[in-house]
Amino acid sequence: MNDSRNHAIETLRAAAVVMVFMNHLHSMDILTIPYFGISGGWLGVQIFFVISGYLIIQSAARYSAPEYIKHRALRIYPAYLFWFIAFSVITGSLAIEKLDINSLLTHLLFLQHFSPSAFAKYSALPVSWTLTVEAAWYVLAFIIASYFYRSPTKSLFFSVAIACFWINAVIHLKIFPSIQDPGQRYFFLQNNAIAQMPFFLIGAWIAVKKPPQHDKAALLSVIISTIFLFKSWELSAVTPIFITGLGVAALFLILRDIDYKNHWSIKWMSEISYSFYLIHYPTIILLSVYIGNKYILSIISFVATVILSFLSYFIIEKPFIRLARSVGDKK
């Protein structure tokens, strides 16, 4: 990967995790930052998914099945397992009298977003629903990698068609009637892996097609119309909608084509983004018990999450990242 793409991914990762943090401050009624307080959550997650699509399709094409599985597991599992256990112990959900083996295994296998009851049982890491979506993409990417490299555009269109059909089936055909609550239907059905898959395929399309430089004014207009003006047309569409993924892709292409270097703070925010993403929510919740002022709570929560994420990155993530890379280097 060349330097400009590295820098673009660094910028986007850092921005995405901060936007998700701001969105959760809003969702917890702590502090609302204009635009990002409301829209930062879905935008940050979609940025992560597009980046993952860009990177993982290349990994899937490069490695054999055993190497690919080891590479992915060593990258995302250690930090998740540590913080899942840590916060579950702190919140008391792993107490012996409350132990639910089936729900616990569901979380440990990244299947929690497929099971509302299991997700609710062990909710110490609420953002972990995206790991179910991510794991589904890992599986799909390896299965379709060879075909995708031959027909990336057709694969992307097919994914969009399936996602749109699925979302409309959830809304209009009322599939899975056992889930009646509107909020749960949106979260577990309308917002699930099938609906999110186009964002990954958009990133994968960029990786495979390697589009040339585009007119930045045109790309900027795509970003404005699909992302910043999202609320003006949101009611006319069903969400999640692949259209916003086009705006994320346009942003990635603009940054990719600019020759620049990130400030060290952005580089490090990108490095610790995975741990930061995992632990920021429970960190805010725990600190809110002791801090009443919303501004102080927001600042201390951010600083505490950064510190914990640095420790997590150096003690947990980095050793396993090295191990994962050594697995790839043996090929």
Side-chain angles (χ1 to χ4, degrees):
M1 191 186 307
N2 65 35
D3 286 345
S4 64
R5 291 175 188 175
N6 265 323
H7 299 149
I9 290 173
E10 285 175 351
T11 303
L12 289 172
R13 275 181 176 156
V17 78
V18 172
M19 284 190 284
V20 172
F21 180 86
M22 290 189 287
N23 171 253
H24 285 146
L25 289 178
H26 166 77
S27 67
M28 293 184 214
D29 293 322
I30 296 171
L31 184 68
T32 297
I33 297 168
Y35 182 79
F36 297 107
I38 297 174
S39 299
W42 64 260
L43 179 55
V45 167
Q46 288 180 16
I47 288 173
F48 280 130
F49 287 168
V50 170
I51 292 172
S52 179
Y54 179 86
L55 296 173
I56 298 305
I57 196 66
Q58 298 175 75
S59 181
R62 177 183 177 189
Y63 298 122
S64 65
E67 290 171 329
Y68 178 75
I69 293 170
K70 291 176 184 177
H71 206 268
R72 291 294 89 217
L74 290 172
R75 179 63 190 94
I76 68 169
Y77 202 74
Y80 168 77
L81 181 62
F82 178 86
W83 291 112
F84 174 77
I85 293 174
F87 282 110
S88 294
V89 169
I90 292 171
T91 57
S93 57
L94 278 183
I96 298 298
E97 62 273 14
K98 297 181 180 179
L99 204 60
D100 181 338
I101 298 299
N102 289 335
S103 295
L104 186 59
L105 287 175
T106 299
H107 278 266
L108 296 179
L109 294 173
F110 294 144
L111 298 174
Q112 57 267 47
H113 200 222
F114 295 137
S115 174
S117 60
F119 186 85
K121 183 71 176 180
Y122 294 103
S123 57
L125 298 178
V127 299
S128 68
W129 70 269
T130 59
L131 296 183
T132 299
V133 180
E134 191 81 20
W137 162 240
Y138 292 166
V139 174
L140 179 65
F142 190 80
I143 293 172
I144 70 168
S146 179
Y147 177 80
F148 189 87
Y149 268 81
R150 296 196 304 270
S151 303
T153 303
K154 186 183 297 185
S155 301
L156 174 57
F157 280 131
F158 187 63
S159 172
V160 168
I162 292 176
C164 290
F165 174 82
W166 171 264
I167 295 170
N168 281 281
V170 170
I171 296 173
H172 301 296
L173 301 181
K174 303 297 183 182
I175 58 175
F176 296 100
S178 59
I179 303 177
Q180 291 292 326
D181 179 74
Q184 286 204 345
R185 285 191 66 81
Y186 178 83
F187 183 68
F188 290 104
L189 296 177
Q190 189 174 332
N191 197 48
N192 77 355
I194 297 173
Q196 301 286 354
M197 215 47 59
F199 302 114
F200 296 99
L201 272 291
I202 288 171
W205 186 90
I206 295 173
V208 172
K209 291 293 286 186
K210 298 180 175 61
Q213 291 194 16
H214 293 279
D215 180 72
K216 290 181 175 58
L219 291 174
L220 185 60
S221 68
V222 173
I223 296 170
I224 293 172
S225 59
T226 59
I227 295 178
F228 290 106
L229 296 180
F230 170 71
K231 287 296 178 181
S232 66
W233 56 266
E234 178 185 15
L235 296 178
S236 302
V238 291
T239 58
I241 184 71
F242 70 94
I243 295 173
T244 51
L246 299 178
V248 174
L251 178 59
F252 177 54
L253 291 174
I254 287 177
L255 294 175
R256 181 202 66 172
D257 295 337
I258 299 175
D259 183 18
Y260 72 101
K261 290 187 177 181
N262 282 312
H263 188 267
W264 63 266
S265 59
I266 294 176
K267 291 182 179 181
W268 279 112
M269 200 67 198
S270 174
E271 290 289 338
I272 66 172
S273 60
Y274 177 52
S275 284
F276 188 103
Y277 178 75
L278 285 177
I279 67 178
H280 76 277
Y281 197 100
T283 300
I284 297 171
I285 291 176
L286 292 174
L287 289 173
S288 67
V289 176
Y290 305 100
I291 304 172
N293 184 284
K294 61 182 181 180
Y295 299 107
I296 295 176
L297 174 59
S298 301
I299 294 170
I300 292 181
S301 295
F302 185 84
V303 173
T305 305
V306 167
I307 293 172
L308 289 174
S309 299
F310 265 107
L311 293 173
S312 178
Y313 176 73
F314 282 106
I315 298 173
I316 304 171
E317 286 189 71
K318 198 168 185 179
F320 285 98
I321 290 173
R322 290 198 191 102
L323 182 58
R325 286 173 178 167
S326 70
V327 169
D329 291 342
K330 292 177 183 177
K331 184 175 179 180

